[in-house]
Amino acid sequence: KATVSVLNWRAIMATKYQIQKVRSRPVLTLLSRVRKSMSDPVVLDLGCGAGHAIPHLRQHWPNSKLMCVDKSKEMLHQAMSNCIDSRVTFQCGMLEDYEPRNDDEQPDVVVASSVLHLVENHELVVPKLLNMVTPGGVLAMQIPILNSTLVDALQQASSAVGVPPGGKVLTQHAPSFYYELLAEQASVDIWTGSDFHFCDEEQVLDMVKSLGAGGTLWSHFVEATGSSAQLTDAFKAAFFGMSKSVGDTGKYMVELPRLYVVATKEGHAPTLGARDL
């Protein structure tokens, strides 16, 4: 049996500097197409993890009230330990079950970054998230695309050692799926993009153990078997067998493709003091 849970494993890996740096990029890309003009918005960060998005969300909306929700107490503990901002609150809970507890918690912005691939039934969950947002508010989502070399190599490695890849289905849909779900109630901006990272062997392993879909598959394997040594060897054989280092640098190019969705709900955006009227 494993001595560390999936959520504990991901919390441990999330502290590594390289991983923190990598996680910031898609958040900044997502926010680049979300307007800053809302006054004193309530911002909900669903699946906040170790809080990598918190400083970027607070910088984007300095006067916001930020509510952070995650199902992992370990992740929330890390996020809380790194945050001394009194306008940031934390709550343990599942993304798909979240409901505002009162009118003051109804969000003007919902952010779901690198979490929806872990949640099933997007046809129900995504409209629910948009319905939660105030008129004129925003639902901003960033979802890892699962056809990366990193994930392909991990799936090959999992098959090679005889263990199914992951303990649950990882969810992915085409951009048109999200447009159809959201377009009736919102203006929808959808795009894809990739981050390219140049990593040595150790950094490649750090990424696959913690990031996005690769991290999920890896952590479920560890939970099921209690060890990562066999999977590590199989993954290294698969990934470095299909990848070449860049020249004489000793670095490998790792692509992390992502789908971005920003839906602005119909209606008037919240204004300064509107909640106090």
Side-chain angles (χ1 to χ4, degrees):
K1 294 291 291 182
T3 57
V4 60
S5 72
V6 170
L7 296 175
N8 276 331
W9 173 273
R10 293 172 69 84
I12 292 167
M13 292 305 303
T15 61
K16 289 182 174 286
Y17 169 74
Q18 179 70 13
I19 300 307
Q20 295 182 49
K21 181 180 178 182
V22 169
R23 286 188 185 277
S24 293
R25 291 188 181 181
V27 174
L28 292 170
T29 301
L30 183 64
L31 291 178
S32 70
R33 299 203 194 179
V34 181
R35 71 179 189 276
K36 299 181 179 182
S37 58
M38 289 181 285
S39 300
D40 298 337
V42 174
V43 179
L44 176 62
D45 183 6
L46 286 174
C48 67
H52 300 289
I54 290 175
H56 307 302
L57 294 171
R58 293 293 287 127
Q59 184 176 24
H60 202 75
W61 295 287
N63 296 319
S64 65
K65 173 184 177 182
L66 176 58
M67 303 182 299
C68 300
V69 177
D70 200 274
K71 67 180 180 180
S72 166
K73 293 181 180 179
E74 292 83 5
M75 287 287 198
L76 285 174
H77 178 74
Q78 283 193 20
M80 293 171 66
S81 66
N82 294 325
C83 181
I84 58 173
D85 192 330
S86 62
R87 295 191 60 132
V88 181
T89 60
F90 298 89
Q91 181 180 336
C92 189
M94 302 284 286
L95 177 152
E96 53 268 50
D97 297 331
Y98 180 83
E99 296 282 355
R101 292 174 291 193
N102 52 58
D103 290 344
D104 289 338
E105 290 191 356
Q106 185 178 10
D108 304 307
V109 181
V110 171
V111 176
S113 181
S114 288
V115 65
L116 283 169
H117 63 297
L118 307 177
V119 177
E120 299 178 354
N121 301 317
H122 283 198
E123 69 278 4
L124 301 176
V125 172
V126 171
K128 177 184 174 181
L129 297 182
L130 182 63
N131 287 336
M132 193 185 302
V133 173
T134 56
V138 176
L139 169 62
M141 309 183 299
Q142 177 267 120
I143 307 170
I145 295 174
L146 304 182
N147 61 344
S148 67
T149 302
L150 209 65
V151 175
D152 290 345
L154 182 58
Q155 290 175 328
Q156 287 185 29
S158 299
S159 298
V161 297
V163 175
K168 65 178 291 185
V169 174
L170 297 176
T171 306
Q172 178 171 292
H173 295 286
S176 57
F177 172 86
Y178 296 104
Y179 181 82
E180 186 175 0
L181 284 181
L182 299 168
E184 201 168 295
Q185 297 186 62
S187 61
V188 185
D189 187 7
I190 300 179
W191 74 101
T192 60
S194 291
D195 295 328
F196 293 90
H197 302 275
F198 296 87
C199 309
D200 59 29
E201 291 191 10
E202 181 179 357
Q203 291 168 337
V204 171
L205 289 172
D206 284 347
M207 280 193 180
V208 78
K209 291 175 184 179
S210 64
L211 285 179
T216 302
L217 296 177
W218 188 281
S219 56
H220 277 295
F221 180 91
V222 174
E223 184 179 53
T225 66
S227 172
S228 64
Q230 190 179 12
L231 182 59
T232 297
D233 291 340
F235 171 79
K236 289 169 70 174
F239 181 86
F240 298 114
M242 67 175 72
S243 304
K244 294 183 178 180
S245 61
V246 180
D248 297 325
T249 65
K251 302 281 188 176
Y252 295 83
M253 187 176 77
V254 179
E255 180 182 4
L256 300 178
R258 302 176 187 275
L259 174 68
Y260 298 89
V261 181
V262 173
T264 303
K265 192 172 181 178
E266 294 179 351
H268 297 290
T271 57
L272 182 62
R275 294 175 184 276
D276 299 324
L277 295 178

